[in-house]
Amino acid sequence: MCCTPRWRELLWIPTLTIVLLISCGGTSASCGDGTAAGQRQCETTPACGNAILEQGEACDDGNQTPGDGCENDCTITPPSDADGDGAPDTADNCPAVSNPDQADADHDGIGDACDGCPKANPGHGACVVSIYDVKTPDANGQYVFDGISVALTSQLVTAVAADGFFMQVQEQDPGYAGPDDSAIFVETADAATVTAGDRVDVASATPAYVGGREVLTNSSGISTTSAGNALPAATVATPAELADAGTRALPLESVLVTVENATVTDTQPPSGSGDSSSPYEFVVDDSGLRIDDGLYAISPPPQAGESFTSVTGIHEFAYDHYRLQPRAAADVVFGPPILSAFGPALSFVDVGQNGAPTTPQPLTVTLPRAQATDTFVEIFTGDPNALLVAGGGVTIPAGDTSATVLVNAFQQSADVPLTASLDGSSLVADVRVIDRATEVPRLIGLSPATASAPPGGAADFTVTLDIPAPAGGTQIS
């Protein structure tokens, strides 16, 4: 390049020709290449690092430091490509994982090769999912979110357990798609502080298949956003559908469900692996579906033959079996009462007694549990000429579980069977009618068979008679 010319002087020559003398920087070379001053042109070689962008330079940042964007030969630093996939790190959607195709199925700016969240989560933010996303297996039966940190918002709590809580999509929630796969259990490190009816956000949790069901583990950042919300309507299903081999058992796991018109058929089902036996766990309708006490225990424990108009609760898989977990007394609606006991098996009454209890223990009718209203139990006699039940039966008052049977005895009978009947259930007990004019007690037992006593001491024996002693007692010698 030519240095900038400067006007030095104008000389007048007789021919009137004007000569312009040009100096390139004075009397000394100023172009840096040794060109003598006074030459008409002086070409320079670009000097890299002088902060002047000169011919042949792609850049000049005023230093000789390589790798800072402008190399020490004034060429531009090549863009970094740590994973060697041809995409510069600054534009690579997976800078640490080679993905030449830069595929990004969910269009969140994170390449599929390094995007752990199958849903859009720009900036590697929380993978916000729905319960359906977590609970619904893919075509291969796999749960695609297992092991991925996820977040859920505005979820409805339906029940609280000692080690976590259940939450479910409500019918009016955006994205509601039916009851199947709509609920999940959230494990918590400590006792849950939420309540049924709360709406909660879960900032972070990890889905995992644990103990035969999909749950949320390692939960944190649980916050309540509102309280007192209406719970989802319980899904009605049959015990057979919900049992271990039931067609709806898996999709309705953790969902609030109701079974109707069920009857207790097994009060001692075998315990599952790691479980302990409980008198409050039982099976209904020979289906295999267990009604359990994990959230609420029905007390006293139901007896075989007792029926339920309905049982509502959380359908849960635990200890190798599906089970229905009522949450409170309101979840359990019993059907018509049945007879629990009618006894003793044999009792006695004297001829001529009317409206009297039997002896030595009064004949009693018992229900499994108290009823809200009076319950009349009809009692039939096997020999009306010898014995009748006063009033044709007995009324068990509301709030009570038993009542004493009163009888009228007319004539001697060694055995009068009485049958108590209530809503299809029946039990039998026997009564012996004694004629004191012809029958006297006989000794039929003495215990212990042998006894010892010190001189001047005594030993106790128990005697047993075949019939109760009359008024005033019976002398035994």
Short mmCIF file of all heavy atoms in Angstrom, two decimals, residues 68-106:
data_model
loop_
_atom_site.label_atom_id
_atom_site.label_comp_id
_atom_site.label_asym_id
_atom_site.label_seq_id
_atom_site.Cartn_x
_atom_site.Cartn_y
_atom_site.Cartn_z
N ASP A 68 -8.03 -17.01 21.35
CA ASP A 68 -8.96 -16.05 21.94
C ASP A 68 -9.93 -15.49 20.92
O ASP A 68 -10.53 -14.43 21.11
CB ASP A 68 -8.19 -14.91 22.61
CG ASP A 68 -7.37 -14.10 21.62
OD1 ASP A 68 -7.27 -14.52 20.44
OD2 ASP A 68 -6.82 -13.05 22.02
N GLY A 69 -10.09 -16.19 19.84
CA GLY A 69 -10.97 -15.75 18.77
C GLY A 69 -10.20 -15.29 17.56
O GLY A 69 -10.64 -15.41 16.43
N CYS A 70 -9.01 -14.71 17.82
CA CYS A 70 -8.11 -14.28 16.74
C CYS A 70 -6.74 -14.87 17.03
O CYS A 70 -6.11 -14.55 18.06
CB CYS A 70 -8.05 -12.76 16.66
SG CYS A 70 -7.10 -12.14 15.24
N GLU A 71 -6.26 -15.74 16.15
CA GLU A 71 -5.02 -16.45 16.39
C GLU A 71 -3.81 -15.51 16.24
O GLU A 71 -3.93 -14.36 15.78
CB GLU A 71 -4.89 -17.63 15.44
CG GLU A 71 -5.98 -18.69 15.62
CD GLU A 71 -5.92 -19.34 16.97
OE1 GLU A 71 -4.91 -20.01 17.27
OE2 GLU A 71 -6.88 -19.16 17.75
N ASN A 72 -2.60 -15.98 16.59
CA ASN A 72 -1.41 -15.15 16.50
C ASN A 72 -0.91 -14.96 15.08
O ASN A 72 0.10 -14.29 14.84
CB ASN A 72 -0.28 -15.69 17.37
CG ASN A 72 0.03 -17.14 17.09
OD1 ASN A 72 -0.47 -17.71 16.11
ND2 ASN A 72 0.87 -17.74 17.93
N ASP A 73 -1.59 -15.57 14.09
CA ASP A 73 -1.33 -15.27 12.69
C ASP A 73 -2.47 -14.48 12.06
O ASP A 73 -2.60 -14.38 10.85
CB ASP A 73 -1.07 -16.54 11.89
CG ASP A 73 -2.26 -17.48 11.91
OD1 ASP A 73 -3.27 -17.17 12.61
OD2 ASP A 73 -2.21 -18.53 11.24
N CYS A 74 -3.30 -13.90 12.93
CA CYS A 74 -4.43 -13.06 12.52
C CYS A 74 -5.45 -13.80 11.67
O CYS A 74 -6.08 -13.25 10.77
CB CYS A 74 -3.94 -11.80 11.78
SG CYS A 74 -3.29 -10.55 12.93
N THR A 75 -5.57 -15.11 11.93
CA THR A 75 -6.69 -15.88 11.39
C THR A 75 -7.68 -16.13 12.51
O THR A 75 -7.32 -16.14 13.70
CB THR A 75 -6.22 -17.23 10.81
OG1 THR A 75 -5.56 -17.96 11.86
CG2 THR A 75 -5.26 -17.01 9.65
N ILE A 76 -8.96 -16.31 12.14
CA ILE A 76 -10.02 -16.49 13.14
C ILE A 76 -9.90 -17.87 13.77
O ILE A 76 -9.70 -18.88 13.07
CB ILE A 76 -11.40 -16.31 12.50
CG1 ILE A 76 -11.55 -14.85 12.02
CG2 ILE A 76 -12.52 -16.65 13.48
CD1 ILE A 76 -12.82 -14.61 11.23
N THR A 77 -9.99 -17.91 15.10
CA THR A 77 -9.93 -19.19 15.81
C THR A 77 -11.07 -20.09 15.36
O THR A 77 -12.24 -19.66 15.35
CB THR A 77 -10.06 -18.97 17.33
OG1 THR A 77 -9.00 -18.09 17.74
CG2 THR A 77 -9.98 -20.29 18.08
N PRO A 78 -10.78 -21.33 14.95
CA PRO A 78 -11.86 -22.24 14.52
C PRO A 78 -12.85 -22.46 15.67
O PRO A 78 -12.46 -22.51 16.83
CB PRO A 78 -11.13 -23.53 14.17
CG PRO A 78 -9.71 -23.12 13.95
CD PRO A 78 -9.47 -21.96 14.86
N PRO A 79 -14.16 -22.55 15.38
CA PRO A 79 -15.15 -22.78 16.45
C PRO A 79 -14.91 -24.12 17.15
O PRO A 79 -14.55 -25.10 16.52
CB PRO A 79 -16.48 -22.77 15.71
CG PRO A 79 -16.14 -23.10 14.29
CD PRO A 79 -14.78 -22.50 14.06
N SER A 80 -15.17 -24.15 18.50
CA SER A 80 -14.97 -25.37 19.27
C SER A 80 -16.05 -26.39 18.94
O SER A 80 -17.24 -26.03 18.76
CB SER A 80 -15.01 -25.03 20.76
OG SER A 80 -14.93 -26.19 21.54
N ASP A 81 -15.68 -27.64 18.87
CA ASP A 81 -16.62 -28.74 18.62
C ASP A 81 -16.18 -29.91 19.49
O ASP A 81 -15.54 -30.85 19.04
CB ASP A 81 -16.62 -29.11 17.14
CG ASP A 81 -17.61 -30.24 16.81
OD1 ASP A 81 -18.45 -30.55 17.68
OD2 ASP A 81 -17.53 -30.80 15.71
N ALA A 82 -16.53 -29.83 20.77
CA ALA A 82 -16.02 -30.79 21.75
C ALA A 82 -16.39 -32.22 21.43
O ALA A 82 -15.63 -33.15 21.71
CB ALA A 82 -16.51 -30.42 23.15
N ASP A 83 -17.59 -32.43 20.88
CA ASP A 83 -18.02 -33.81 20.63
C ASP A 83 -17.70 -34.27 19.21
O ASP A 83 -18.03 -35.39 18.83
CB ASP A 83 -19.51 -33.98 20.93
CG ASP A 83 -20.40 -33.05 20.12
OD1 ASP A 83 -19.89 -32.40 19.18
OD2 ASP A 83 -21.60 -32.96 20.45
N GLY A 84 -17.12 -33.40 18.40
CA GLY A 84 -16.66 -33.79 17.08
C GLY A 84 -17.75 -34.20 16.12
O GLY A 84 -17.50 -35.01 15.22
N ASP A 85 -18.93 -33.64 16.28
CA ASP A 85 -20.02 -34.04 15.39
C ASP A 85 -20.25 -33.06 14.25
O ASP A 85 -21.22 -33.17 13.50
CB ASP A 85 -21.32 -34.23 16.18
CG ASP A 85 -21.81 -32.96 16.88
OD1 ASP A 85 -21.15 -31.91 16.72
OD2 ASP A 85 -22.82 -33.04 17.61
N GLY A 86 -19.35 -32.07 14.12
CA GLY A 86 -19.47 -31.11 13.03
C GLY A 86 -20.30 -29.90 13.37
O GLY A 86 -20.37 -28.96 12.57
N ALA A 87 -20.92 -29.87 14.50
CA ALA A 87 -21.72 -28.72 14.93
C ALA A 87 -20.93 -27.96 15.98
O ALA A 87 -20.55 -28.53 17.01
CB ALA A 87 -23.06 -29.17 15.49
N PRO A 88 -20.64 -26.67 15.73
CA PRO A 88 -19.89 -25.90 16.74
C PRO A 88 -20.60 -25.92 18.08
O PRO A 88 -21.84 -25.94 18.15
CB PRO A 88 -19.87 -24.49 16.15
CG PRO A 88 -20.14 -24.67 14.69
CD PRO A 88 -21.02 -25.87 14.57
N ASP A 89 -19.80 -25.89 19.14
CA ASP A 89 -20.40 -25.95 20.48
C ASP A 89 -21.43 -24.86 20.70
O ASP A 89 -22.44 -25.06 21.37
CB ASP A 89 -19.30 -25.83 21.54
CG ASP A 89 -18.44 -27.09 21.60
OD1 ASP A 89 -18.84 -28.11 21.02
OD2 ASP A 89 -17.37 -27.03 22.25
N THR A 90 -21.18 -23.70 20.13
CA THR A 90 -22.10 -22.59 20.35
C THR A 90 -23.45 -22.80 19.70
O THR A 90 -24.43 -22.15 20.07
CB THR A 90 -21.48 -21.29 19.82
OG1 THR A 90 -21.11 -21.48 18.44
CG2 THR A 90 -20.26 -20.89 20.64
N ALA A 91 -23.52 -23.70 18.74
CA ALA A 91 -24.78 -23.97 18.06
C ALA A 91 -25.25 -25.41 18.25
O ALA A 91 -26.35 -25.77 17.81
CB ALA A 91 -24.64 -23.66 16.57
N ASP A 92 -24.42 -26.23 18.90
CA ASP A 92 -24.72 -27.66 19.06
C ASP A 92 -25.80 -27.85 20.13
O ASP A 92 -25.66 -27.36 21.26
CB ASP A 92 -23.44 -28.40 19.47
CG ASP A 92 -23.56 -29.91 19.30
OD1 ASP A 92 -24.69 -30.41 19.23
OD2 ASP A 92 -22.50 -30.57 19.25
N ASN A 93 -26.90 -28.56 19.80
CA ASN A 93 -27.95 -28.78 20.81
C ASN A 93 -27.62 -29.93 21.76
O ASN A 93 -28.39 -30.20 22.69
CB ASN A 93 -29.32 -28.99 20.15
CG ASN A 93 -29.38 -30.19 19.22
OD1 ASN A 93 -28.53 -31.07 19.26
ND2 ASN A 93 -30.40 -30.21 18.35
N CYS A 94 -26.49 -30.59 21.52
CA CYS A 94 -25.95 -31.56 22.48
C CYS A 94 -24.43 -31.42 22.44
O CYS A 94 -23.74 -32.26 21.85
CB CYS A 94 -26.35 -32.99 22.12
SG CYS A 94 -27.99 -33.47 22.63
N PRO A 95 -23.86 -30.37 23.03
CA PRO A 95 -22.43 -30.13 22.87
C PRO A 95 -21.53 -31.22 23.42
O PRO A 95 -20.39 -31.34 23.00
CB PRO A 95 -22.20 -28.81 23.61
CG PRO A 95 -23.44 -28.54 24.37
CD PRO A 95 -24.54 -29.33 23.79
N ALA A 96 -22.02 -32.01 24.34
CA ALA A 96 -21.18 -33.05 24.95
C ALA A 96 -21.48 -34.44 24.40
O ALA A 96 -20.83 -35.42 24.80
CB ALA A 96 -21.34 -33.04 26.46
N VAL A 97 -22.48 -34.55 23.54
CA VAL A 97 -22.86 -35.84 22.97
C VAL A 97 -22.91 -35.70 21.45
O VAL A 97 -23.60 -34.81 20.93
CB VAL A 97 -24.23 -36.32 23.50
CG1 VAL A 97 -24.63 -37.65 22.85
CG2 VAL A 97 -24.20 -36.44 25.01
N SER A 98 -22.18 -36.56 20.76
CA SER A 98 -22.14 -36.46 19.30
C SER A 98 -23.51 -36.78 18.70
O SER A 98 -24.08 -37.85 18.94
CB SER A 98 -21.09 -37.44 18.75
OG SER A 98 -21.07 -37.39 17.34
N ASN A 99 -24.04 -35.83 17.96
CA ASN A 99 -25.31 -36.04 17.26
C ASN A 99 -25.31 -35.23 15.97
O ASN A 99 -25.86 -34.13 15.90
CB ASN A 99 -26.51 -35.65 18.14
CG ASN A 99 -26.52 -34.19 18.55
OD1 ASN A 99 -25.48 -33.56 18.70
ND2 ASN A 99 -27.72 -33.65 18.73
N PRO A 100 -24.65 -35.78 14.95
CA PRO A 100 -24.53 -35.03 13.68
C PRO A 100 -25.87 -34.59 13.11
O PRO A 100 -25.94 -33.55 12.45
CB PRO A 100 -23.84 -36.04 12.75
CG PRO A 100 -23.11 -36.96 13.67
CD PRO A 100 -23.97 -37.08 14.89
N ASP A 101 -26.95 -35.35 13.39
CA ASP A 101 -28.25 -34.98 12.80
C ASP A 101 -28.95 -33.86 13.57
O ASP A 101 -29.92 -33.29 13.10
CB ASP A 101 -29.16 -36.20 12.70
CG ASP A 101 -29.48 -36.83 14.05
OD1 ASP A 101 -29.06 -36.28 15.10
OD2 ASP A 101 -30.16 -37.88 14.06
N GLN A 102 -28.47 -33.55 14.80
CA GLN A 102 -29.06 -32.48 15.62
C GLN A 102 -30.57 -32.66 15.81
O GLN A 102 -31.33 -31.70 15.93
CB GLN A 102 -28.77 -31.11 15.00
CG GLN A 102 -27.30 -30.75 14.95
CD GLN A 102 -26.73 -30.43 16.33
OE1 GLN A 102 -27.03 -29.39 16.90
NE2 GLN A 102 -25.91 -31.33 16.83
N ALA A 103 -31.04 -33.92 15.83
CA ALA A 103 -32.49 -34.19 15.96
C ALA A 103 -33.02 -33.67 17.29
O ALA A 103 -32.39 -33.81 18.34
CB ALA A 103 -32.74 -35.69 15.85
N ASP A 104 -34.21 -33.06 17.26
CA ASP A 104 -34.85 -32.47 18.44
C ASP A 104 -36.35 -32.66 18.31
O ASP A 104 -37.08 -31.75 17.88
CB ASP A 104 -34.48 -30.99 18.55
CG ASP A 104 -35.08 -30.32 19.77
OD1 ASP A 104 -35.62 -31.04 20.64
OD2 ASP A 104 -35.05 -29.07 19.84
N ALA A 105 -36.83 -33.85 18.66
CA ALA A 105 -38.22 -34.22 18.40
C ALA A 105 -39.22 -33.32 19.11
O ALA A 105 -40.30 -33.06 18.59
CB ALA A 105 -38.46 -35.68 18.79
N ASP A 106 -38.89 -32.87 20.34
CA ASP A 106 -39.86 -32.05 21.07
C ASP A 106 -39.61 -30.54 20.91
O ASP A 106 -40.24 -29.73 21.57
CB ASP A 106 -39.89 -32.42 22.55
CG ASP A 106 -38.54 -32.34 23.22
OD1 ASP A 106 -37.61 -31.77 22.61
OD2 ASP A 106 -38.40 -32.85 24.35
#
